[in-house]
Amino acid sequence: MTPSFSRRAALLTLTLILGTGLGGPGGAQDSDLPAVPAVPITAPPSDPVPIPVPELPPTPIPAPSAEPVQPAPEPVLIPVPVPPVTVPQLPMPALPQPVVPAPIIPLPVPPRPPVGSGVRGLWVDAFGPGLKTRAQVTQMVDDAARMGVNTLFVQAIRRADCLCLKASVPRATDADLEKGLDPLGLTVRLAHARGIRVIAWVAVTGIANAAAPNTNPAHISRTHGPNSGAASWMARRPDGTWQEGNDGWLDLGIPEAAEYAIQGVVSLVKNYGVDGVQLDRIRYPDGDVWGYDPKVLSRYRAETGRTGTPAVTDPVWQDWKRQQVTNVVRRIALEIKSLRPDAWITAATITYSQPPAPGDMPAFRRTRTYSDVLQDWPTWMQSGLLDLNVLMNYKRDAVGEQGQWFDGWNAFAGSVRARPDGLNAGVAAGTAMYLNGAPVTADQAGRSVGAGLGWVGYSYRTPTLDVYGAKETTAQGLNTIQKLLTAPGAALASPAPWKEKPPTSRGLMGRITGTPVPGFRVVEALQNGQVLAYSLTDGSGYYGFAALPPGKTEVRVSGQRWVDTVPERGIVRLPDLTVRDLKPVTAVPMPVTPAILSPSKP
């Protein structure tokens, strides 16, 4: 190619470059990249703990090499003589390097431990030494602290009487009880000073013991006992008998009896700085042959439209009685949460015989827990009525299949803890220390904790089978079990306080009036026009919900409605709603076991 031709070609090429903008700023090679959005680090939903985010060094990113500009195809030109042209050498502008921020790597948020899994508890009963004198209470708290226990379940109300001075029920009459002593108050003061929580343990339906009756003339075993005629509050068999062994039980199907029991529990939270309550004997006596007091039968007929006397095996009768127990659990939970949202509501629940498979609710409804003593604790958990379910999982590993039953009940309880509001109820395994040797107790505690459950031992007074059988003293048994429970790798090897807050902290409650039959009415809770949950009124007209989402909520019952706002924390108490029945409520039998007994998911 001749020099003159090359100069013309170079001139044309320069013209094309300057005209098209190839290689210049703002052209096709502009490589400014959009910023990478930051990924937020999500904290746990409650009780957030700040997570330090380390400063990460910026990741070096090599600048992309400039892609060479392809020259335009060389044109075919006819040579024409022209004067020489000097083509200036233009420098190639440097391409800007893309600014790419270093990626933010989200730190993994550890899963929150299951509710109640931090409980390391001990039951302290009132049927022997432990709570009767100031010295005993002081020794008991010292022993618990030495063992690494972080929660004491202290028997307060035993048989409609209290080991305390400031409850709505009378003080226990016990010759061994030190005069003027308030065992519950002293326990709270000493235990809190050691970082130990105190749960007031209450036998809800316990009313009397023929072998050791309360001698106070004002005690309900005397004012509403077996010899009180129509004023009796005793649970009775079809033949009118009331004793189960030496014990007499309160019938929760009698509204006045239920109210008395409820106020007894609530009074403990009003007057003492307890961290919560535990409901024991929150059921009917064994055998499912109870509830035949004439007042109970009359109310049952009025609310359901049934006639005659129900057979023991009548499923409608069983479901109605089971609902009476649930009503009391609900009322206690809501009354206490209205006073103190952070108080724990716990129950000591029944786990008779073989367990259902995890999640198998139909199988649970065939157990003695549900069909015999009429206790529906999965519904209590799922409805937000229980913060912590402490299973009375009293099994002996050395007897038959009981070791497998122990693990099976733990697994089932853990499988039914989920609630419609996205939270979970807690579960702790209560073990029978008095029925097992110390090695078995330590092993059961370890298996429970390993399954993500808390652990509670029964009891301080009888910590081993040998103590229960009078082969060693309580002090000797405590020393033996302490060594095993605090050994490396054991359940109490690393003592830690239990500071967790309960999951249930909000809801609403109310009452209907103006009708002679206020019980067993369907109550709906709606948000945004959608029914979130159902409830039933109790014999006094009370209803309520414990696990609703916060926000504007409408309540509908018997043609009445009320709108209020469920707060983020706390219980809203609605005004009484007056209902007017346009026809007898007994004209059409009401459903007993529809899905309304369990809250529906939003």
Side-chain angles (χ1 to χ4, degrees), residues 23-27 29-32 63-67 90-98:
Q29 293 287 323
D30 189 357
S31 58
D32 285 341
S65 56
E67 184 177 343
L90 298 176
M92 180 66 70
L95 296 177
Q97 295 188 4

Side-chain angles (χ1 to χ4, degrees), residues 88-136:
Q89 298 296 320
L90 298 176
M92 180 66 70
L95 296 177
Q97 295 188 4
V99 179
V100 180
I104 299 176
I105 303 174
L107 296 177
V109 178
R112 299 188 69 190
V115 176
S117 60
V119 174
R120 303 292 182 268
L122 198 59
W123 272 297
V124 185
D125 68 71
F127 295 101
L131 296 172
K132 305 295 184 67
T133 68
R134 183 176 300 273
Q136 287 179 11

Side-chain angles (χ1 to χ4, degrees), residues 113-343:
V115 176
S117 60
V119 174
R120 303 292 182 268
L122 198 59
W123 272 297
V124 185
D125 68 71
F127 295 101
L131 296 172
K132 305 295 184 67
T133 68
R134 183 176 300 273
Q136 287 179 11
V137 174
T138 303
Q139 183 66 53
M140 178 269 295
V141 173
D142 286 345
D143 289 338
R146 185 165 52 253
M147 189 182 291
V149 165
N150 59 25
T151 309
L152 291 170
F153 294 80
V154 176
Q155 190 160 37
I157 297 179
R158 186 173 59 178
R159 297 188 187 104
D161 53 15
C162 192
L163 275 83
C164 66
L165 299 177
K166 296 183 289 186
S168 64
V169 299
R171 189 173 191 258
T173 55
D174 188 324
D176 296 328
L177 188 57
E178 183 178 318
K179 186 177 180 179
L181 176 66
D182 189 328
L184 180 60
L186 180 59
T187 299
V188 169
R189 181 168 62 82
L190 295 180
H192 282 181
R194 307 291 287 270
I196 298 173
R197 280 180 163 174
V198 177
I199 305 295
W201 160 24
V202 178
V204 178
T205 53
I207 183 175
N209 184 274
N214 188 293
T215 58
N216 189 326
H219 190 264
I220 61 170
S221 64
R222 298 174 180 273
T223 60
H224 298 282
N227 301 318
S228 301
S232 173
W233 291 349
M234 309 294 295
R236 295 181 184 272
R237 298 182 181 89
D239 62 2
T241 57
W242 59 272
Q243 281 188 233
E244 187 207 27
N246 286 322
D247 286 340
W249 294 60
L250 203 65
D251 195 322
L252 298 180
I254 301 172
E256 296 83 1
E259 185 70 21
Y260 186 89
I262 291 164
Q263 293 306 324
V265 181
V266 174
S267 71
L268 300 178
V269 178
K270 286 182 177 178
N271 296 311
Y272 293 93
V274 295
D275 299 284
V277 298
Q278 179 164 90
L279 310 181
D280 188 17
R281 288 202 175 185
I282 183 68
R283 59 184 180 94
Y284 276 84
D286 290 354
D288 191 27
V289 294
W290 305 90
Y292 286 88
D293 180 281
K295 297 185 295 300
V296 176
L297 292 173
S298 177
R299 181 180 158 223
Y300 166 73
R301 296 179 190 117
E303 291 184 359
T304 65
R306 298 288 179 123
T307 59
T309 299
V312 168
T313 57
D314 184 337
V316 177
W317 171 235
Q318 292 175 325
D319 287 335
W320 184 88
K321 289 190 294 180
R322 189 181 298 108
Q323 184 63 35
Q324 307 315 305
V325 180
T326 295
N327 288 343
V328 171
V329 176
R330 181 182 66 224
R331 179 81 182 287
I332 289 173
L334 294 175
E335 291 284 358
I336 289 177
K337 293 291 184 179
S338 71
L339 294 171
R340 200 187 307 164
D342 287 341

